[in-house]
Amino acid sequence: MPTNKSVSKAPITQFVNCRILRDHKLQREDLWVREGRILDPEKLFFDEEGYADQRVDCEGLIIAPGFIDVQINGGYGIDFSQATSNVRGGVALVAKKILEHGVTSFLPTLVTSPPNIYHKVLSEVKVHSGGMEGAGVLGCHLEGPFISLEKKGAHPEQYLRSFQSGGMLDLIETYGTLDNVAMVTLAPELPNSEKVVRELSQRGITVSLGHSVANLSQAEEAVQNGASFITHLFNAMLPFHHRDPGIVGLLTSDQVPQDRTVFYGMIADGIHTNSAALRIAHRAHPTGLVLVTDAITAMGLPPGRHTLGQQVIEIQGLHAYVAGTKTLSGSIATMDMCVRHFKQASDLVLLDDAINVRATYIAGQEVWRK
């Protein structure tokens, strides 16, 4: 097994006086980073006598993994579901701005749109690592248009689609390409969806269940075919019922393959989901919880009228509605975490005791500080 020393001669950064969030606990220890990777301190001590080229004092701060937002529709006046003349510039602007929220990577999310929007936008959004220029892009999240009419939420009805051509052909006709697509939200009760779930999963694209009236058995079948995520749990799906808990039942289902974890997104803004419901979900399936923002164009802007794809959104206080309705359309907040271990990428966030972001690091490099 190679030692830390034999791997590289690159400079080492030591984070000292740390409280590190690891295994759901705050642990007092230092953190060592080289070339964007977290080093094993035991090997470092014996191989390089604890030598560090730079030290970062974290006294009074918490080190946690960088936040990853897997459902963000835009922000700061940028709408990812708009085919503007500068799609890349818009994504870059949001990527830069969300560094101050501790977000180190994200999935630009497109809501239900006409095919020409997907064809234009998806050809412009590329997967890339983050850095000083902004958070990394892990790929796009396509939320729709293959969703339930009954649970469409803020998605425009006129652009909803079914798998009428048998499955994958419908996806290609709609999206144009699946390059740089990381996640697709669909309703598993739609005819021919099982073929789509299998094919997307085989391509390494995460299939998420949402905007759906699926019962539990339909949801379980989708998971058995490869689905592994639930889009904003409790929102835009059948409510929990003791005889048929629907998609929510996946959190405790005994029909989920043993080698698979079903993750579920939740909008923890206190509006889309009551905090008691969030606690119920977390206690039932703590390892699957993924906090998402579902942030929209209005994030970072004052109340008023903005867009969500092809619709106008009205911001009233902390609420966002489709204009002229009382349909909630998204959040104007920001969060989410993934766990890092030794030898993995050192995307980090420094937090104070009130959980305010004080600094953001990508690959061990400071990219934002308050």
Side-chain angles (χ1 to χ4, degrees), residues 188 209 212-224 230 238 240-256:
L209 310 181
S212 165
V213 293
N215 58 36
L216 178 58
S217 60
Q218 290 170 322
E220 289 172 334
E221 181 181 4
V223 171
Q224 291 160 4
I230 301 171
L238 292 177
F240 178 88
H241 190 282
H242 62 283
R243 290 200 176 94
D244 190 335
I247 290 176
V248 177
L250 289 174
L251 272 63
T252 57
S253 171
D254 59 3
Q255 298 302 305
V256 173

Side-chain angles (χ1 to χ4, degrees), residues 90-168:
V91 173
L93 173 64
V94 175
K96 183 69 173 179
K97 290 282 192 178
I98 59 180
L99 291 177
E100 66 186 75
H101 294 289
V103 178
T104 53
S105 52
F106 69 112
L107 272 59
T109 303
L110 280 71
V111 297
T112 294
S113 303
N116 67 295
I117 297 294
Y118 294 113
H119 294 186
K120 167 67 174 177
V121 174
L122 294 181
S123 65
E124 294 291 324
V125 181
K126 307 297 182 184
V127 173
H128 65 267
S129 300
M132 292 298 298
E133 71 284 355
V137 173
L138 300 176
C140 287
H141 177 178
L142 306 181
E143 186 187 5
F146 302 97
I147 57 176
S148 164
L149 173 62
E150 297 164 74
K151 293 295 181 181
K152 64 181 179 62
H155 291 239
E157 179 179 335
Q158 65 269 35
Y159 300 126
L160 299 184
R161 296 195 60 166
S162 62
F163 299 117
Q164 59 186 10
S165 298
M168 290 303 296

Side-chain angles (χ1 to χ4, degrees), residues 27 32 77 86 94 113 135 155-156 224 235 316 328 332:
Q27 303 180 14
W32 307 75
N86 189 12
V94 175
S113 303
H155 291 239
Q224 291 160 4
N235 297 121
Q316 300 176 13
L328 283 172
I332 50 177

